[in-house]
Amino acid sequence: MPTKPNDLSTIRDLLRYAVTRFNTAKLFFGHGSTNALDEAAYLILHTLKLPLDKLDPFFDAHLLQDEVDAVLRVIEQRADERLPAAYITNEGWLGGYRFYVDERVIVPRSFIAELIPDQFSPWVSNPDKITNILELCTGSGCLPIMLADAFPNAQVDTVDISADALAVAKLNVEEYELQDRITLIESDLYTNVPENKYDLIITNPPYVNSTSMGKLPPEYLREPQIALAGGDDGMDLVRKIVAGAAKRLTPKGILMVEIGNERAFAEAAFPELNLTWLTTSAGDDMVFLVTADQLQ
């Protein structure tokens, strides 16, 4: 690490140093940023409490030595400890929403989040008639908060088996002042869920197959493994979710499940279902939909 105060004095200097440091350390970027430059810019701006979308005006601003030291500490923490940036800053971003995160939950990321602003059109024809939503495996509570915003007449029951995760979700629900509309439930999937009928069941469950779990980059190993591991074929929890959905959905209800790169395993697990694959920024393989009719 540089020792002389004038070694690194501007944000431009620190950005260059951080990108080199991150690339030399061969960091993995999969928790918001996709490259060393974007991640370095985010960490520097956040540490200096500057607007995250305004790097240029500050590029050549000379920093105080304690500011330089604070940024260098963050850069070294990211490079040496392989901590995802979100755990360093205690914030994750998804669909324009900011969420508090720490190592009790996985860093918010979901292809379902891309579909929420359009209220799942065309599969949901009248969003105002959506009154009950169940969201399973909530983690930080990011998806139920987005769902509550998108479906203003809905009550959302949201579930996680981890009390630690629910403690984080509670912070985020309170931050968005949605305590009256989102109910947090500690439960192994449906076990402790009320005997309600839901218009939508939404889930981004653990789905990483055991072979892939063994190949995860160090950054992913810093996350709660219970939130990632889905068994031999990644479908252990997905099977239970699909099996239990039939009696939980309204007659015209919809189940939506995110399964990442596991489409082949999902189709093999449910050969009797004609899974509908939804289009996201990653293609047509990440999220499937099943109707209540199909599950009867």
Side-chain angles (χ1 to χ4, degrees):
M1 182 184 295
T3 54
K4 292 189 291 185
N6 61 352
D7 280 353
L8 300 171
S9 61
T10 68
I11 288 178
R12 188 186 297 273
D13 293 336
L14 287 166
L15 185 67
R16 198 285 308 159
Y17 172 74
V19 171
T20 299
R21 186 76 178 84
F22 291 173
N23 286 332
T24 302
K26 293 182 167 54
L27 300 186
F28 182 84
F29 305 102
H31 293 98
S33 303
T34 60
N35 57 77
L37 177 61
D38 289 347
E39 186 125 317
Y42 164 68
L43 285 170
I44 291 168
L45 290 169
H46 185 278
T47 303
L48 296 174
K49 297 179 173 56
L50 294 172
L52 298 181
D53 59 346
K54 288 184 171 62
L55 178 62
D56 289 353
F58 305 105
F59 241 142
D60 295 309
H62 286 265
L63 304 180
L64 301 173
Q65 187 58 41
D66 62 342
E67 292 178 318
V68 173
D69 292 342
V71 171
L72 289 175
R73 282 194 297 271
V74 165
I75 292 170
E76 296 307 314
Q77 187 177 24
R78 178 69 181 94
D80 289 341
E81 300 179 30
R82 303 295 293 262
L83 269 180
Y87 291 157
I88 298 173
T89 62
N90 289 127
E91 70 175 18
W93 291 84
L94 187 63
Y97 290 72
R98 179 193 177 279
F99 301 102
Y100 172 84
V101 295
D102 59 33
E103 292 180 71
R104 292 174 290 179
V105 296
I106 64 170
V107 178
R109 53 187 183 275
S110 174
F111 292 107
I112 289 176
E114 299 177 7
L115 306 171
I116 293 175
D118 291 330
Q119 299 167 305
F120 302 137
S121 176
W123 305 104
V124 172
S125 58
N126 191 341
D128 289 340
K129 289 188 176 180
I130 301 296
T131 57
N132 283 297
I133 300 174
L134 175 63
E135 194 260 345
L136 301 169
C137 310
T138 195
S140 62
C142 52
L143 290 183
I145 288 167
M146 296 178 70
L147 288 163
D149 263 2
F151 297 96
N153 296 327
Q155 292 295 127
V156 184
D157 287 343
T158 190
V159 171
D160 206 289
I161 196 172
S162 166
D164 281 345
L166 289 172
V168 174
K170 183 174 184 286
L171 294 174
N172 286 314
V173 169
E174 290 173 349
E175 177 67 23
Y176 283 94
E177 299 182 349
L178 288 167
Q179 304 95 309
D180 293 340
R181 296 187 51 217
I182 296 176
T183 301
L184 301 169
I185 302 170
E186 185 177 345
S187 178
D188 183 358
L189 299 180
Y190 301 105
T191 305
N192 298 328
V193 175
E195 293 292 333
N196 293 336
K197 294 287 188 179
Y198 295 96
D199 303 302
L200 300 173
I201 298 177
I202 308 296
T203 183
N204 180 16
Y207 55 68
V208 183
N209 69 70
S210 56
T211 300
S212 296
M213 284 295 295
K215 299 176 181 177
L216 288 178
E219 281 84 352
Y220 285 111
L221 299 178
R222 301 303 298 258
E223 297 184 294
Q225 300 301 283
I226 191 176
L228 299 174
D232 286 347
D233 64 353
M235 294 296 111
D236 283 5
L237 272 77
V238 178
R239 286 186 181 86
K240 294 177 181 178
I241 290 167
V242 172
K247 69 177 184 178
R248 299 285 185 167
L249 285 170
T250 58
K252 294 186 178 180
I254 291 169
L255 168 67
M256 193 176 297
V257 184
E258 183 164 338
I259 50 83
N261 296 309
E262 311 290 353
R263 176 170 177 166
F265 283 124
E267 290 181 331
F270 308 108
E272 74 286 358
L273 295 176
N274 183 22
L275 303 178
T276 298
W277 294 92
L278 306 184
T279 300
T280 70
S281 61
D284 301 332
D285 301 329
M286 303 291 167
V287 180
F288 72 76
L289 177 150
V290 182
T291 66
D293 282 343
Q294 289 176 272
L295 295 171
Q296 295 306 315

